[in-house]
Amino acid sequence: MNIILLGPPGAGKGTQAERLVAERGMVQLSTGDMLRAAVAAGTPTGLKAKTVMEAGELVSDEIVSGIIGEKLDMLSADTGVIFDGYPRTAAQADALDTLLAARRRTLDHVIELVVDEDALVERITGRFTCAKCGAGYHVRFKPTQVAGVCDACGATEFKRRPDDNEATVRTRMAEYRAKTAPILPIYEARGLVSKIDGMADMDVVAGEISAILAR
Ligand code: AP5
Ligand code: MG
């Protein structure tokens, strides 16, 4: 099973991918997470990506498709993949077709999380993650069970993303509207797109995704 989670910043792609990984043993390929790891490690890719990401703009198609290809090569053929935040442009959608075909993988579903952009600013500015294991939280919508302690690993250090401020979020949304939303018709023409109300409760969204994957 190979699926794409598509939606603007804060739509819930990472949140839902994390659940699919835990519940179904699928692998999450998040280009955002991979790029942040490259920035943290100070690799040549990370050095190129850092300022672009902090501005809320898109990193080059060559870089992201290159890292997706490398990650796919590390997986066994029967491992299900969730593409989170990739593809984001028409060129990336083309590249993904080539990458999948070369590995005899087919795309099963493109799930669009439909959301209200204004509400997303609150989601993004309230988001934080565990500094040790990366588990994702939200000050209002998904707080830790014990204040200041990660539910998943017990760590007490948390972090926030440098691009999670209102000004940058607006740029990220504009990038989504201009470059990413236009790729939906490519997948609609293939009958792959299912639309979900991403403003619903996280559990409801997860239930709808499970129903789509069971089809
Ligand atoms: P990336 O990391 O992909 O960020 P994004 O697309 O902006 O999306 P987010 O991670 O912000 O949102 P999400 O949908 O995962 O939401 P989440 O589940 O965390 O990309 C970052 C940057 O990297 C880009 O701007 C670009 O520069 C670069 N980049 C990455 N991929 C690229 C590519 N392919 N090409 C070029 N450049 C690329 O949820 C958000 C918050 O809301 C959380 O706190 C969560 O707890 C909460 N929440 C989630 N669901 C719900 C719900 N149903 N109800 C209430 N709260 C909820
Ligand atoms: Mg994410």
Side-chain angles (χ1 to χ4, degrees):
M1 175 88 71
N2 299 288
I3 69 168
I4 295 174
L5 293 181
L6 206 69
K13 305 180 293 292
T15 301
Q16 297 300 329
E18 208 176 282
R19 295 174 74 133
L20 290 169
V21 168
E23 289 161 17
R24 293 174 177 257
M26 296 176 79
V27 167
Q28 172 191 15
L29 295 187
S30 158
T31 40
D33 287 350
M34 292 170 202
L35 291 168
R36 280 184 287 280
V39 170
T43 65
T45 296
L47 293 175
K48 278 189 210 153
K50 186 172 188 288
T51 43
V52 180
M53 292 174 78
E54 283 176 2
E57 291 161 4
L58 294 186
V59 174
S60 81
D61 293 330
E62 293 70 25
I63 288 181
V64 291
S65 294
I67 56 178
I68 285 285
E70 284 168 19
K71 293 287 176 182
L72 283 172
D73 284 337
M74 294 176 189
L75 302 176
S76 64
D78 57 352
T79 307
V81 175
I82 309 148
F83 295 97
D84 162 4
Y86 179 89
R88 260 174 148 102
T89 63
Q92 291 179 27
D94 274 353
L96 180 60
D97 284 342
T98 308
L99 290 169
L100 291 176
R103 291 159 183 81
R104 296 177 194 277
R105 287 178 177 269
T106 49
L107 198 53
D108 299 287
H109 297 282
V110 176
I111 299 177
E112 182 194 2
L113 297 165
V114 181
V115 283
D116 161 12
E117 278 197 10
D118 287 328
L120 295 187
V121 174
E122 184 187 5
R123 282 201 191 171
I124 296 267
T125 52
R127 168 169 57 188
F128 63 99
T129 54
C130 173
K132 190 171 166 212
C133 76
Y137 297 98
H138 190 280
V139 286
R140 181 164 160 219
F141 304 124
K142 193 186 170 195
T144 54
Q145 280 164 18
V146 176
V149 182
C150 176
D151 299 349
C153 76
T156 52
E157 298 282 319
F158 296 90
K159 55 184 185 179
R160 287 178 183 259
R161 281 169 41 178
D163 58 345
D164 275 356
N165 55 75
E166 182 161 357
T168 310
V169 169
R170 297 279 178 200
T171 307
R172 285 158 57 196
M173 285 172 179
E175 289 282 80
Y176 180 82
R177 260 183 266 117
K179 297 172 186 163
T180 308
I183 70 177
L184 271 162
I186 300 172
Y187 296 119
E188 275 163 355
R190 296 187 206 166
L192 291 175
V193 178
S194 301
K195 293 181 192 288
I196 292 188
D197 175 13
M199 296 315 296
D201 183 87
M202 285 175 212
D203 292 336
V204 174
V205 177
E208 290 198 23
I209 292 176
S210 288
I212 291 165
L213 300 194
R215 273 183 211 154

